[in-house]
Amino acid sequence: MSFFETLGARIESTDSVVSVGLDPDPSRLPEFVADADLPRWAFNRRIIDATHEHAACYKPNAAFYEDADGWRALAETIAYAHGKDVPVLLDAKRADIGNTTRQYAAALDRADAITVNPYLGRDSLQPFLDREGKGVFVLCRTSNPGGSDLQDLELASGEPLYERVAALADVWNGNGNVGLVVGATAPEELAAVREIVPEIPFLVPGVGAQGGDAEAAVEHGLADHPDADVGAGLVNSSRGIIFAGEESSRPGDEATYFGAAGDAAKRLKKRLNRYR
Amino acid sequence: MSFFETLGARIESTDSVVSVGLDPDPSRLPEFVADADLPRWAFNRRIIDATHEHAACYKPNAAFYEDADGWRALAETIAYAHGKDVPVLLDAKRADIGNTTRQYAAALDRADAITVNPYLGRDSLQPFLDREGKGVFVLCRTSNPGGSDLQDLELASGEPLYERVAALADVWNGNGNVGLVVGATAPEELAAVREIVPEIPFLVPGVGAQGGDAEAAVEHGLADHPDADVGAGLVNSSRGIIFAGEESSRPGDEATYFGAAGDAAKRLKKRLNRYR
């Protein structure tokens, strides 16, 4: 079964395109996980308990796991999400060369999909693309202010760089396992990319803390997809869900804290479903 | 003291521009480190013992340390290199957004410099650039075959993308801590970038296993630098040094194995010095 088939089945069974970003920023973790053996894992486990009914996938960002304890916490988190039948997309934005990028691709032994950076070109992504059952989301147009510095540069052929990246990703998609990361902060760019690659699923970040437009994300990024069965894509929210209960983070507040995360995931699901 | 001052002093005291890549591919480690608590660390320690006299810096690639034991091995490796007064450049090729990229920049708490990917633009690199005493090497023109897929695309303004990246890196260099990664496999591209940014130090990979031209690397990449005191840059070799003794990897061969690494580092140093 391909990643997009698995994801499509999950989207259907949960009636949700919400990707829940698991970015357990140490400085924002509530007091009541501080004493756990692996605080990030203790936190993620409770977040997964609270949100999994509304989660099409979980998206841990690798940046929050880059130390010895972190990698243990990440491994447990992935296993636990799988225990709840939720696919895991590792947001790593990796790419390197030769034997090094083969080593990075080993992250797909555990995770079901990964984000990658296209700047080093096709061979830097090949070991990821070769994993037929796994998903590979190529950064195309990102939602941060500096996203325009390179991605919007006009090429001699007339189109901006990010549109060329979308076209290249289509060429690299021999195994049908390629997705694109296209930010929600620029709806007209979402529409432009969708026109170039009508069949490639999108991961749309930037809804929530970054202020992107959920309606545009679904309308241009997801709803037009001709083959809903394999999953038109995902809309991610991280801090807007996992830290939704931050006002209630004293010992004793656990139920309120994690309940707020569950409510936030459910609210986003419903908001997005209005446009699907 | 800035990173490039530290690096310049090291280049002067060792009379070497050799960066030794510490990429302990698990499948290529010799038998006699297999039983160690942390085989990668046991391997790196012996490599550092054998090569440090000829090493301007060590460049561990993060891909080989992405698991719980790996991060412990990396931390020990960095500390040990510092014990030998050798700066450490973490080859991570990172970049992300907002709080995530701030988290990645925490790698500079330990390492002295890092490689980053420019595709997400200035704000994705700002937390790295803000570390005034640390070096930030921006990927510009990489030495792999697919390096041309995006980097050589001609912009509407006439130059290829990688030249624009060099010019942007110059703009981003407010703290004087920016370097560029420019591969040795395309000497004329090295020369073109050097013309755009006469004062930015280069990290030149691709000499050795990737077949780049050492003479061109030094001539175009390093020798023209007007301010030799702050370090014109580095030429990296990884597998060509650390696995040079691979023919002698049975128990009992330790001295021969690591001696070969030391000899390879010394040979590359001398070869490069002929053109400096």
Side-chain angles (χ1 to χ4, degrees), chain A residues 109-136:
Chain A
D109 292 346
R110 281 211 168 86
D112 306 289
I114 194 164
T115 58
V116 296
N117 185 312
Y119 190 69
L120 285 87
R122 182 180 191 145
D123 63 317
S124 76
L125 307 183
Q126 200 60 49
F128 300 96
L129 301 170
D130 287 345
R131 298 283 194 115
E132 295 187 24
K134 306 285 185 168
V136 185

PDB file of all heavy atoms in Angstrom, chain A residues 109-136:
ATOM      1  N   ASP A 109      12.808   4.291   7.786  1.00  0.00           N
ATOM      2  CA  ASP A 109      12.591   2.985   8.408  1.00  0.00           C
ATOM      3  C   ASP A 109      11.475   3.085   9.440  1.00  0.00           C
ATOM      4  O   ASP A 109      10.702   2.157   9.618  1.00  0.00           O
ATOM      5  CB  ASP A 109      13.870   2.488   9.109  1.00  0.00           C
ATOM      6  CG  ASP A 109      14.968   2.145   8.122  1.00  0.00           C
ATOM      7  OD1 ASP A 109      14.692   2.035   6.913  1.00  0.00           O
ATOM      8  OD2 ASP A 109      16.136   2.010   8.568  1.00  0.00           O
ATOM      9  N   ARG A 110      11.432   4.208  10.146  1.00  0.00           N
ATOM     10  CA  ARG A 110      10.407   4.420  11.184  1.00  0.00           C
ATOM     11  C   ARG A 110       9.227   5.228  10.675  1.00  0.00           C
ATOM     12  O   ARG A 110       8.086   4.826  10.820  1.00  0.00           O
ATOM     13  CB  ARG A 110      11.022   5.169  12.379  1.00  0.00           C
ATOM     14  CG  ARG A 110      11.835   4.306  13.310  1.00  0.00           C
ATOM     15  CD  ARG A 110      11.743   4.848  14.741  1.00  0.00           C
ATOM     16  NE  ARG A 110      12.279   3.894  15.706  1.00  0.00           N
ATOM     17  CZ  ARG A 110      13.562   3.815  16.034  1.00  0.00           C
ATOM     18  NH1 ARG A 110      14.435   4.636  15.495  1.00  0.00           N
ATOM     19  NH2 ARG A 110      13.978   2.917  16.916  1.00  0.00           N
ATOM     20  N   ALA A 111       9.524   6.420  10.119  1.00  0.00           N
ATOM     21  CA  ALA A 111       8.439   7.327   9.725  1.00  0.00           C
ATOM     22  C   ALA A 111       7.817   6.868   8.405  1.00  0.00           C
ATOM     23  O   ALA A 111       8.423   6.130   7.626  1.00  0.00           O
ATOM     24  CB  ALA A 111       8.964   8.748   9.599  1.00  0.00           C
ATOM     25  N   ASP A 112       6.586   7.342   8.140  1.00  0.00           N
ATOM     26  CA  ASP A 112       5.868   6.950   6.927  1.00  0.00           C
ATOM     27  C   ASP A 112       6.106   7.904   5.775  1.00  0.00           C
ATOM     28  O   ASP A 112       5.856   7.579   4.619  1.00  0.00           O
ATOM     29  CB  ASP A 112       4.366   6.907   7.225  1.00  0.00           C
ATOM     30  CG  ASP A 112       4.067   6.030   8.424  1.00  0.00           C
ATOM     31  OD1 ASP A 112       4.209   4.801   8.282  1.00  0.00           O
ATOM     32  OD2 ASP A 112       3.757   6.560   9.499  1.00  0.00           O
ATOM     33  N   ALA A 113       6.543   9.129   6.108  1.00  0.00           N
ATOM     34  CA  ALA A 113       6.782  10.144   5.085  1.00  0.00           C
ATOM     35  C   ALA A 113       7.759  11.164   5.667  1.00  0.00           C
ATOM     36  O   ALA A 113       7.997  11.188   6.882  1.00  0.00           O
ATOM     37  CB  ALA A 113       5.470  10.815   4.679  1.00  0.00           C
ATOM     38  N   ILE A 114       8.295  12.008   4.789  1.00  0.00           N
ATOM     39  CA  ILE A 114       9.317  12.959   5.238  1.00  0.00           C
ATOM     40  C   ILE A 114       9.247  14.202   4.351  1.00  0.00           C
ATOM     41  O   ILE A 114       8.789  14.121   3.204  1.00  0.00           O
ATOM     42  CB  ILE A 114      10.719  12.293   5.172  1.00  0.00           C
ATOM     43  CG1 ILE A 114      11.768  13.108   5.944  1.00  0.00           C
ATOM     44  CG2 ILE A 114      11.163  12.054   3.727  1.00  0.00           C
ATOM     45  CD1 ILE A 114      13.048  12.311   6.244  1.00  0.00           C
ATOM     46  N   THR A 115       9.677  15.351   4.883  1.00  0.00           N
ATOM     47  CA  THR A 115       9.843  16.535   4.039  1.00  0.00           C
ATOM     48  C   THR A 115      11.307  16.656   3.635  1.00  0.00           C
ATOM     49  O   THR A 115      12.203  16.328   4.415  1.00  0.00           O
ATOM     50  CB  THR A 115       9.409  17.833   4.753  1.00  0.00           C
ATOM     51  OG1 THR A 115      10.172  17.996   5.946  1.00  0.00           O
ATOM     52  CG2 THR A 115       7.924  17.811   5.082  1.00  0.00           C
ATOM     53  N   VAL A 116      11.555  17.100   2.395  1.00  0.00           N
ATOM     54  CA  VAL A 116      12.923  17.245   1.879  1.00  0.00           C
ATOM     55  C   VAL A 116      13.071  18.596   1.184  1.00  0.00           C
ATOM     56  O   VAL A 116      12.095  19.210   0.758  1.00  0.00           O
ATOM     57  CB  VAL A 116      13.285  16.117   0.884  1.00  0.00           C
ATOM     58  CG1 VAL A 116      13.285  14.750   1.575  1.00  0.00           C
ATOM     59  CG2 VAL A 116      12.343  16.115  -0.322  1.00  0.00           C
ATOM     60  N   ASN A 117      14.320  19.042   1.060  1.00  0.00           N
ATOM     61  CA  ASN A 117      14.663  20.343   0.469  1.00  0.00           C
ATOM     62  C   ASN A 117      15.240  20.118  -0.930  1.00  0.00           C
ATOM     63  O   ASN A 117      16.157  19.310  -1.094  1.00  0.00           O
ATOM     64  CB  ASN A 117      15.699  21.021   1.387  1.00  0.00           C
ATOM     65  CG  ASN A 117      16.042  22.431   0.955  1.00  0.00           C
ATOM     66  OD1 ASN A 117      16.324  22.694  -0.213  1.00  0.00           O
ATOM     67  ND2 ASN A 117      16.039  23.353   1.908  1.00  0.00           N
ATOM     68  N   PRO A 118      14.717  20.813  -1.959  1.00  0.00           N
ATOM     69  CA  PRO A 118      15.109  20.497  -3.338  1.00  0.00           C
ATOM     70  C   PRO A 118      16.406  21.144  -3.826  1.00  0.00           C
ATOM     71  O   PRO A 118      16.833  20.876  -4.953  1.00  0.00           O
ATOM     72  CB  PRO A 118      13.929  21.060  -4.144  1.00  0.00           C
ATOM     73  CG  PRO A 118      13.496  22.257  -3.356  1.00  0.00           C
ATOM     74  CD  PRO A 118      13.691  21.869  -1.905  1.00  0.00           C
ATOM     75  N   TYR A 119      17.049  22.010  -3.006  1.00  0.00           N
ATOM     76  CA  TYR A 119      18.148  22.843  -3.533  1.00  0.00           C
ATOM     77  C   TYR A 119      19.304  22.022  -4.108  1.00  0.00           C
ATOM     78  O   TYR A 119      20.003  22.477  -5.000  1.00  0.00           O
ATOM     79  CB  TYR A 119      18.662  23.801  -2.441  1.00  0.00           C
ATOM     80  CG  TYR A 119      19.619  24.843  -2.964  1.00  0.00           C
ATOM     81  CD1 TYR A 119      19.164  25.866  -3.801  1.00  0.00           C
ATOM     82  CD2 TYR A 119      20.977  24.802  -2.662  1.00  0.00           C
ATOM     83  CE1 TYR A 119      20.035  26.815  -4.314  1.00  0.00           C
ATOM     84  CE2 TYR A 119      21.854  25.751  -3.165  1.00  0.00           C
ATOM     85  CZ  TYR A 119      21.376  26.756  -3.990  1.00  0.00           C
ATOM     86  OH  TYR A 119      22.246  27.694  -4.505  1.00  0.00           O
ATOM     87  N   LEU A 120      19.525  20.806  -3.617  1.00  0.00           N
ATOM     88  CA  LEU A 120      20.649  19.995  -4.098  1.00  0.00           C
ATOM     89  C   LEU A 120      20.275  19.100  -5.280  1.00  0.00           C
ATOM     90  O   LEU A 120      21.110  18.330  -5.758  1.00  0.00           O
ATOM     91  CB  LEU A 120      21.261  19.160  -2.973  1.00  0.00           C
ATOM     92  CG  LEU A 120      22.117  19.949  -1.976  1.00  0.00           C
ATOM     93  CD1 LEU A 120      21.261  20.527  -0.865  1.00  0.00           C
ATOM     94  CD2 LEU A 120      23.221  19.100  -1.378  1.00  0.00           C
ATOM     95  N   GLY A 121      19.026  19.158  -5.712  1.00  0.00           N
ATOM     96  CA  GLY A 121      18.653  18.453  -6.935  1.00  0.00           C
ATOM     97  C   GLY A 121      18.285  16.993  -6.766  1.00  0.00           C
ATOM     98  O   GLY A 121      18.267  16.449  -5.664  1.00  0.00           O
ATOM     99  N   ARG A 122      17.987  16.368  -7.912  1.00  0.00           N
ATOM    100  CA  ARG A 122      17.361  15.052  -7.911  1.00  0.00           C
ATOM    101  C   ARG A 122      18.149  13.971  -7.183  1.00  0.00           C
ATOM    102  O   ARG A 122      17.577  13.227  -6.380  1.00  0.00           O
ATOM    103  CB  ARG A 122      17.133  14.588  -9.350  1.00  0.00           C
ATOM    104  CG  ARG A 122      16.438  13.242  -9.377  1.00  0.00           C
ATOM    105  CD  ARG A 122      16.190  12.725 -10.773  1.00  0.00           C
ATOM    106  NE  ARG A 122      15.302  11.576 -10.707  1.00  0.00           N
ATOM    107  CZ  ARG A 122      14.385  11.282 -11.628  1.00  0.00           C
ATOM    108  NH1 ARG A 122      14.253  12.036 -12.688  1.00  0.00           N
ATOM    109  NH2 ARG A 122      13.615  10.224 -11.497  1.00  0.00           N
ATOM    110  N   ASP A 123      19.443  13.828  -7.442  1.00  0.00           N
ATOM    111  CA  ASP A 123      20.162  12.708  -6.825  1.00  0.00           C
ATOM    112  C   ASP A 123      20.202  12.823  -5.307  1.00  0.00           C
ATOM    113  O   ASP A 123      20.311  11.820  -4.607  1.00  0.00           O
ATOM    114  CB  ASP A 123      21.570  12.521  -7.414  1.00  0.00           C
ATOM    115  CG  ASP A 123      22.473  13.713  -7.171  1.00  0.00           C
ATOM    116  OD1 ASP A 123      21.998  14.859  -7.336  1.00  0.00           O
ATOM    117  OD2 ASP A 123      23.649  13.529  -6.814  1.00  0.00           O
ATOM    118  N   SER A 124      20.095  14.062  -4.792  1.00  0.00           N
ATOM    119  CA  SER A 124      20.096  14.231  -3.334  1.00  0.00           C
ATOM    120  C   SER A 124      18.808  13.688  -2.712  1.00  0.00           C
ATOM    121  O   SER A 124      18.762  13.386  -1.524  1.00  0.00           O
ATOM    122  CB  SER A 124      20.277  15.704  -2.968  1.00  0.00           C
ATOM    123  OG  SER A 124      19.084  16.437  -3.181  1.00  0.00           O
ATOM    124  N   LEU A 125      17.762  13.555  -3.537  1.00  0.00           N
ATOM    125  CA  LEU A 125      16.466  13.077  -3.035  1.00  0.00           C
ATOM    126  C   LEU A 125      16.176  11.629  -3.427  1.00  0.00           C
ATOM    127  O   LEU A 125      15.238  11.009  -2.924  1.00  0.00           O
ATOM    128  CB  LEU A 125      15.345  13.983  -3.562  1.00  0.00           C
ATOM    129  CG  LEU A 125      15.552  15.481  -3.297  1.00  0.00           C
ATOM    130  CD1 LEU A 125      14.347  16.275  -3.801  1.00  0.00           C
ATOM    131  CD2 LEU A 125      15.788  15.759  -1.822  1.00  0.00           C
ATOM    132  N   GLN A 126      17.005  11.072  -4.321  1.00  0.00           N
ATOM    133  CA  GLN A 126      16.702   9.758  -4.876  1.00  0.00           C
ATOM    134  C   GLN A 126      16.509   8.661  -3.824  1.00  0.00           C
ATOM    135  O   GLN A 126      15.569   7.861  -3.932  1.00  0.00           O
ATOM    136  CB  GLN A 126      17.785   9.350  -5.885  1.00  0.00           C
ATOM    137  CG  GLN A 126      17.332   8.263  -6.838  1.00  0.00           C
ATOM    138  CD  GLN A 126      16.115   8.682  -7.665  1.00  0.00           C
ATOM    139  OE1 GLN A 126      16.097   9.756  -8.253  1.00  0.00           O
ATOM    140  NE2 GLN A 126      15.070   7.852  -7.674  1.00  0.00           N
ATOM    141  N   PRO A 127      17.375   8.592  -2.777  1.00  0.00           N
ATOM    142  CA  PRO A 127      17.172   7.524  -1.783  1.00  0.00           C
ATOM    143  C   PRO A 127      15.832   7.629  -1.056  1.00  0.00           C
ATOM    144  O   PRO A 127      15.299   6.614  -0.601  1.00  0.00           O
ATOM    145  CB  PRO A 127      18.325   7.725  -0.792  1.00  0.00           C
ATOM    146  CG  PRO A 127      19.365   8.475  -1.570  1.00  0.00           C
ATOM    147  CD  PRO A 127      18.599   9.368  -2.502  1.00  0.00           C
ATOM    148  N   PHE A 128      15.289   8.836  -0.965  1.00  0.00           N
ATOM    149  CA  PHE A 128      13.946   8.991  -0.403  1.00  0.00           C
ATOM    150  C   PHE A 128      12.894   8.534  -1.424  1.00  0.00           C
ATOM    151  O   PHE A 128      11.997   7.763  -1.111  1.00  0.00           O
ATOM    152  CB  PHE A 128      13.684  10.461  -0.032  1.00  0.00           C
ATOM    153  CG  PHE A 128      14.635  11.038   0.984  1.00  0.00           C
ATOM    154  CD1 PHE A 128      15.750  11.759   0.591  1.00  0.00           C
ATOM    155  CD2 PHE A 128      14.417  10.854   2.341  1.00  0.00           C
ATOM    156  CE1 PHE A 128      16.622  12.296   1.520  1.00  0.00           C
ATOM    157  CE2 PHE A 128      15.284  11.382   3.285  1.00  0.00           C
ATOM    158  CZ  PHE A 128      16.389  12.104   2.872  1.00  0.00           C
ATOM    159  N   LEU A 129      13.052   9.009  -2.670  1.00  0.00           N
ATOM    160  CA  LEU A 129      12.086   8.677  -3.725  1.00  0.00           C
ATOM    161  C   LEU A 129      12.014   7.177  -3.966  1.00  0.00           C
ATOM    162  O   LEU A 129      10.960   6.643  -4.331  1.00  0.00           O
ATOM    163  CB  LEU A 129      12.473   9.387  -5.029  1.00  0.00           C
ATOM    164  CG  LEU A 129      12.536  10.921  -4.963  1.00  0.00           C
ATOM    165  CD1 LEU A 129      13.176  11.487  -6.232  1.00  0.00           C
ATOM    166  CD2 LEU A 129      11.151  11.518  -4.756  1.00  0.00           C
ATOM    167  N   ASP A 130      13.142   6.496  -3.751  1.00  0.00           N
ATOM    168  CA  ASP A 130      13.202   5.051  -3.995  1.00  0.00           C
ATOM    169  C   ASP A 130      12.382   4.234  -2.995  1.00  0.00           C
ATOM    170  O   ASP A 130      12.134   3.049  -3.223  1.00  0.00           O
ATOM    171  CB  ASP A 130      14.651   4.560  -3.961  1.00  0.00           C
ATOM    172  CG  ASP A 130      15.428   4.986  -5.206  1.00  0.00           C
ATOM    173  OD1 ASP A 130      14.780   5.391  -6.197  1.00  0.00           O
ATOM    174  OD2 ASP A 130      16.674   4.915  -5.183  1.00  0.00           O
ATOM    175  N   ARG A 131      12.019   4.849  -1.870  1.00  0.00           N
ATOM    176  CA  ARG A 131      11.193   4.135  -0.887  1.00  0.00           C
ATOM    177  C   ARG A 131       9.736   4.194  -1.332  1.00  0.00           C
ATOM    178  O   ARG A 131       8.973   5.066  -0.917  1.00  0.00           O
ATOM    179  CB  ARG A 131      11.328   4.809   0.489  1.00  0.00           C
ATOM    180  CG  ARG A 131      12.721   4.804   1.062  1.00  0.00           C
ATOM    181  CD  ARG A 131      13.035   3.430   1.619  1.00  0.00           C
ATOM    182  NE  ARG A 131      14.217   3.473   2.455  1.00  0.00           N
ATOM    183  CZ  ARG A 131      14.215   3.232   3.772  1.00  0.00           C
ATOM    184  NH1 ARG A 131      13.108   2.912   4.401  1.00  0.00           N
ATOM    185  NH2 ARG A 131      15.333   3.294   4.455  1.00  0.00           N
ATOM    186  N   GLU A 132       9.346   3.233  -2.158  1.00  0.00           N
ATOM    187  CA  GLU A 132       8.049   3.322  -2.839  1.00  0.00           C
ATOM    188  C   GLU A 132       6.850   3.446  -1.903  1.00  0.00           C
ATOM    189  O   GLU A 132       5.882   4.126  -2.214  1.00  0.00           O
ATOM    190  CB  GLU A 132       7.854   2.110  -3.751  1.00  0.00           C
ATOM    191  CG  GLU A 132       8.858   2.094  -4.877  1.00  0.00           C
ATOM    192  CD  GLU A 132       8.567   0.988  -5.889  1.00  0.00           C
ATOM    193  OE1 GLU A 132       7.413   0.562  -5.982  1.00  0.00           O
ATOM    194  OE2 GLU A 132       9.521   0.566  -6.575  1.00  0.00           O
ATOM    195  N   GLY A 133       6.911   2.803  -0.761  1.00  0.00           N
ATOM    196  CA  GLY A 133       5.769   2.835   0.145  1.00  0.00           C
ATOM    197  C   GLY A 133       5.715   4.059   1.044  1.00  0.00           C
ATOM    198  O   GLY A 133       4.802   4.190   1.863  1.00  0.00           O
ATOM    199  N   LYS A 134       6.699   4.943   0.897  1.00  0.00           N
ATOM    200  CA  LYS A 134       6.799   6.102   1.787  1.00  0.00           C
ATOM    201  C   LYS A 134       6.512   7.392   1.020  1.00  0.00           C
ATOM    202  O   LYS A 134       6.732   7.464  -0.198  1.00  0.00           O
ATOM    203  CB  LYS A 134       8.220   6.164   2.379  1.00  0.00           C
ATOM    204  CG  LYS A 134       8.667   4.874   3.063  1.00  0.00           C
ATOM    205  CD  LYS A 134       7.992   4.683   4.428  1.00  0.00           C
ATOM    206  CE  LYS A 134       8.547   3.444   5.145  1.00  0.00           C
ATOM    207  NZ  LYS A 134       8.115   3.404   6.557  1.00  0.00           N
ATOM    208  N   GLY A 135       6.075   8.423   1.722  1.00  0.00           N
ATOM    209  CA  GLY A 135       5.788   9.705   1.086  1.00  0.00           C
ATOM    210  C   GLY A 135       6.968  10.667   1.193  1.00  0.00           C
ATOM    211  O   GLY A 135       7.682  10.673   2.196  1.00  0.00           O
ATOM    212  N   VAL A 136       7.176  11.461   0.130  1.00  0.00           N
ATOM    213  CA  VAL A 136       8.286  12.409   0.100  1.00  0.00           C
ATOM    214  C   VAL A 136       7.737  13.793  -0.274  1.00  0.00           C
ATOM    215  O   VAL A 136       7.390  14.035  -1.438  1.00  0.00           O
ATOM    216  CB  VAL A 136       9.361  11.995  -0.926  1.00  0.00           C
ATOM    217  CG1 VAL A 136      10.560  12.943  -0.855  1.00  0.00           C
ATOM    218  CG2 VAL A 136       9.798  10.551  -0.700  1.00  0.00           C
TER     219      VAL A 136
END
